[in-house]
Amino acid sequence: MSVTPIRIMGDPVLRTPAAPVVDFDAELRRLVTDLTETMHAAGGAGLAAPQIGVGLRVFTWYVDGEVGHLVNPDVVPVGEETEEDAEGCLSIPGFRFDCRRHLYVAATGWDMHGEPIRVEGSHKLARAIQHETDHLDGVLFVDRLDAQAREAALSVLADAEWQGHQAWVPQGDPTPAPVVKVSPH
């Protein structure tokens, strides 16, 4: 179990569609643990396996104090409502751009033990699920921007200090502080 280097925009693995997971074994459980620890150390809301150089359809998320993972996800929008909000990516460190996403989604897949799961999310969770599933398809969130915004974003990113680097290693704590929810009553 370890914090793993995160691949940076420009690495071909981020543009390569990931393969479905076929073996639900100790190696997959280790991958989910590595993804989770790396995501926490980087302070992210999600992390997909291709972002750490593994071409498998697996991602983790950490939204509103909830940690989860999904293997071989199938994501569908629920309704037509969308939301444009600032979005960032651990593979495009230090930048956020407004991106339109479906407001509600339902995702099905499996957990690391091969048990079927269904996740329904809205707002931040829906955004994280869509973002991480895009990574599994070789898509970066900047690809989702309208043409003018994408051109402006790519212009800014061309001068990013990490250009020319292949990866970065998060230095944060791989275990997040627990979220304490207080009842108003």
Side-chain angles (χ1 to χ4, degrees), residues 27-94:
E27 189 174 333
L28 175 62
R29 290 187 293 281
R30 190 168 36 259
L31 173 60
V32 170
T33 299
D34 289 350
L35 283 167
T36 303
E37 289 182 359
T38 303
M39 173 186 63
H40 288 314
L47 189 65
Q51 291 180 274
I52 62 168
V54 178
L56 291 174
R57 296 188 68 79
V58 182
F59 70 82
T60 57
W61 75 84
Y62 179 60
V63 175
D64 297 329
E66 177 188 347
V67 178
H69 69 276
L70 199 52
V71 178
N72 296 338
D74 181 30
V75 180
V76 295
V78 176
E80 300 294 322
E81 197 171 356
T82 62
E83 172 185 63
E84 188 168 32
D85 201 3
E87 190 165 322
C89 179
L90 295 176
S91 291
I92 306 175

Side-chain angles (χ1 to χ4, degrees), residues 9-27:
M9 182 179 174
D11 188 314
V13 73
L14 297 173
R15 295 302 193 170
T16 305
V21 170
V22 294
D23 295 319
F24 292 79
D25 56 9
E27 189 174 333

Side-chain angles (χ1 to χ4, degrees), residues 5-184:
I6 297 174
R7 303 297 178 93
I8 294 175
M9 182 179 174
D11 188 314
V13 73
L14 297 173
R15 295 302 193 170
T16 305
V21 170
V22 294
D23 295 319
F24 292 79
D25 56 9
E27 189 174 333
L28 175 62
R29 290 187 293 281
R30 190 168 36 259
L31 173 60
V32 170
T33 299
D34 289 350
L35 283 167
T36 303
E37 289 182 359
T38 303
M39 173 186 63
H40 288 314
L47 189 65
Q51 291 180 274
I52 62 168
V54 178
L56 291 174
R57 296 188 68 79
V58 182
F59 70 82
T60 57
W61 75 84
Y62 179 60
V63 175
D64 297 329
E66 177 188 347
V67 178
H69 69 276
L70 199 52
V71 178
N72 296 338
D74 181 30
V75 180
V76 295
V78 176
E80 300 294 322
E81 197 171 356
T82 62
E83 172 185 63
E84 188 168 32
D85 201 3
E87 190 165 322
C89 179
L90 295 176
S91 291
I92 306 175
F95 294 90
R96 295 175 65 80
F97 302 102
D98 285 347
C99 182
R100 183 164 300 282
R101 296 281 188 181
H102 289 281
L103 191 57
Y104 303 97
V105 298
T108 56
W110 288 263
D111 69 11
M112 66 180 137
H113 303 287
E115 296 297 321
I117 55 174
R118 177 179 170 90
V119 179
E120 295 181 18
S122 65
H123 299 84
K124 272 180 90 172
L125 181 56
R127 182 171 295 278
I129 289 170
Q130 291 168 88
H131 180 109
E132 300 311 327
T133 301
D134 274 352
H135 276 299
L136 304 181
D137 295 331
V139 175
L140 297 175
F141 87 96
V142 292
D143 301 333
R144 299 280 183 201
L145 306 179
D146 66 50
Q148 187 176 358
R150 182 177 174 358
E151 184 178 333
L154 293 177
S155 176
V156 169
L157 294 174
D159 295 328
E161 65 182 42
W162 42 258
Q163 283 293 348
H165 296 275
Q166 292 184 331
W168 67 282
V169 179
Q171 300 297 314
D173 186 349
T175 54
V179 173
V180 178
K181 296 185 179 183
V182 179
S183 171

